Amino acid sequence: MIRRAMNAEAGYLRIEAVSKRFGETLAVDDVSLAIRRREIFALLGSSGCGKSTLLRMVAGLESPDAGRIVLDGEDLATVPVHRRPTNMMFQSYALFPHMSVAGNVAFGLRQERPRMARAMVHARVAEMLELVQMQHLAERRPHELSGGQQQRAALARSLAREPKLLLLDEPLSALDKKIRQRTQLELVNLVRRVGVTCIIVTHDQEEAMVMADRIGVMSPRGQMLQVGAPGEVYEHPVCRYAAEFVGETNLFEGRIEQGRLRCDGWPMPLALPPSAGPGGAPAEGEPAWLSVRPERLRLLRSEPAAATALDNRIAGRVADIAYLGSHSIYHVGVGEGVGEGGSDGVGEGGARVLVASVPCVPPSQSGEAPPPARGEAVWLAWSGLDGVVLRR
């Protein structure tokens, strides 16, 4: 009985081999997914990858061509959209402009059958407005609210009917960056306080990693490529697309040669981590890719000693620097096309550009040597343990 209950919790929402076509276009391709009760799950992918279509099928706004969707043991195929125990908050928030905040929150409650008593509706609206801290704005119209306030009003309306599943389609895209960053944690805290299971659709990798317990990365062809905790998806991508879409990475292509990666135009084979990557270790002569995150690269003014753990190293020249406060992003040209006198030509001819993330020196340590400047000759180095081997 305990094991059955645990399985039910783990598979609170089950999406089983779901596909959807629009004419000749395959929007969602054989996606299977299990979402836990009270989990915040992010569907992450580029525009047009099918993540919003998948969300709309869960909501009942689209019907799958194949597969099924099961919520809390109930197959949703026969449940009409207005009877589904789900609520969807749209990207535009879709607040009724002629209604007050309180009226918007109450709207769904007034559609309940059998009808709720007026006193119960008022009490529920007051409870929701208190939850999102908007009691003082109850009588305002949507056009009198800021973007963040509109977002909270839409969230209160979505939660008022106590759905089993809350669906958020790009919920923060209409907000500017500073407000969006603050609202991310506010939204997560609200969802956790209510205890509702939540699916968020977003193309913003940072938003997914901040807000979600787990992330599902979708390919441009509507396939689910990887599901895992944010740290797992970032540190251990299963394919090139996941590695490049979730954060920044340096990707090296080559063939396996005596346990190392031989890349065209690279002075020596690259040392690889001893543990096998996703799909097992590639065989001798097999094509493979090595993913190395920018923060794993060391930016040095001179070649590291042979005795250090930095097995991979190459000389280059700083092409560009992006100062971001806590760290700087260095674009370093390496290879035959790098000029001697500056950054001109970097990325042309036989050169390629590697990206390194370098922590900025605080004022208390300003006596140290300044970081390398644009056009300066440098070395990039990293340990073989710092990469991930990919086979696709």
Side-chain angles (χ1 to χ4, degrees):
M1 290 294 292
I2 294 176
R3 179 174 295 180
R4 185 179 301 172
M6 290 176 63
N7 290 338
E9 291 289 305
Y12 183 66
L13 174 68
R14 301 199 315 275
I15 298 171
E16 300 175 352
V18 165
S19 296
K20 178 66 179 178
R21 283 185 178 274
F22 294 102
E24 297 299 315
T25 302
L26 183 59
V28 177
D29 184 8
D30 194 28
V31 168
S32 293
L33 185 63
I35 296 176
R36 307 177 188 118
R37 189 189 297 268
R38 290 184 289 276
E39 181 175 31
I40 300 177
F41 189 94
L43 289 171
L44 176 65
S46 58
S47 297
C49 74
K51 56 188 186 296
S52 290
T53 300
L54 186 58
L55 197 74
R56 289 172 64 85
M57 285 191 285
V58 175
L61 301 176
E62 300 285 353
S63 299
D65 295 326
R68 66 177 193 151
I69 299 170
V70 179
L71 176 60
D72 197 17
E74 180 181 18
D75 191 336
L76 296 182
T78 59
V79 183
V81 59
H82 64 285
R83 294 296 182 196
R84 293 196 179 194
T86 65
N87 251 342
M88 186 166 179
M89 192 173 94
F90 295 94
Q91 186 173 341
S92 62
Y93 306 143
L95 295 170
F96 297 112
H98 63 288
M99 293 184 182
S100 65
V101 170
N104 269 278
V105 176
F107 180 80
L109 298 173
R110 290 177 177 144
Q111 313 311 310
E112 292 280 8
R113 296 294 183 272
R115 290 184 179 276
M116 290 180 66
R118 180 172 297 184
M120 291 180 63
V121 171
H122 286 324
R124 185 63 179 164
V125 169
E127 181 185 353
M128 289 297 98
L129 292 180
E130 183 180 1
L131 178 69
V132 298
Q133 299 179 358
M134 290 188 66
Q135 310 96 306
H136 61 297
L137 302 175
E139 298 308 316
R140 287 197 184 180
R141 300 291 176 90
H143 71 273
E144 299 175 309
L145 304 175
S146 68
Q149 290 167 343
Q150 290 180 13
Q151 187 261 350
R152 282 188 283 152
L155 180 63
R157 182 177 64 182
S158 298
L159 293 173
R161 294 178 63 186
E162 299 181 307
K164 290 184 176 181
L165 188 61
L166 179 64
L167 308 173
L168 306 179
D169 189 5
E170 303 277 5
L172 306 180
S173 61
L175 307 179
D176 63 52
K177 185 175 181 180
K178 189 171 261 321
I179 295 176
R180 187 166 67 245
Q181 289 175 333
R182 184 180 71 243
T183 307
Q184 286 170 357
L185 294 178
E186 289 179 357
L187 182 55
V188 168
N189 289 334
L190 283 171
V191 170
R192 294 206 191 286
R193 282 172 59 189
V194 175
V196 66
T197 306
C198 179
I199 303 178
I200 301 170
V201 159
T202 182
H203 64 273
D204 187 323
Q205 302 96 318
E206 180 182 323
E207 185 172 293
M209 295 182 76
V210 168
M211 298 180 68
D213 299 312
R214 288 191 302 154
I215 296 171
V217 181
M218 295 188 69
S219 78
R221 296 183 177 182
Q223 299 166 325
M224 187 65 69
L225 297 176
Q226 182 173 5
V227 175
E232 178 186 348
V233 172
Y234 183 81
E235 298 291 350
H236 304 286
V238 299
C239 61
R240 287 173 287 161
Y241 183 84
E244 291 183 299
F245 190 79
V246 182
E248 185 98 33
T249 196
N250 298 288
L251 207 58
F252 303 89
E253 180 180 1
R255 289 186 178 273
I256 300 300
E257 183 181 285
Q258 297 180 352
R260 289 178 171 245
L261 187 68
R262 168 66 72 179
C263 305
D264 291 340
W266 206 258
M268 63 185 71
L270 297 177
L272 303 176
S275 58
E284 182 73 12
E286 184 179 340
W289 293 263
L290 178 68
S291 170
V292 184
R293 297 294 186 185
E295 63 271 18
R296 303 297 186 186
L297 298 186
R298 292 282 303 278
L299 184 70
L300 307 167
R301 280 196 162 88
S302 58
E303 182 176 7
T308 67
L310 302 174
D311 344 54
N312 299 312
R313 61 196 68 186
I314 191 169
R317 192 172 295 275
V318 177
D320 284 299
I321 305 171
Y323 175 75
L324 300 177
S326 61
H327 64 286
S328 292
I329 301 296
Y330 276 75
H331 292 252
V332 179
V334 299
E336 298 174 357
V338 180
E340 294 294 327
S343 61
D344 291 346
V346 169
E348 301 176 3
R352 66 166 293 180
V353 175
L354 299 181
V355 179
S357 177
V358 180
C360 291
V361 178
S364 60
Q365 300 175 19
S366 58
E368 297 183 4
R374 188 173 185 270
E376 190 172 337
V378 293
W379 280 82
L380 287 175
W382 71 95
S383 167
L385 299 173
D386 290 332
V388 178
V389 180
L390 306 171
R391 299 180 68 182
R392 61 186 178 101

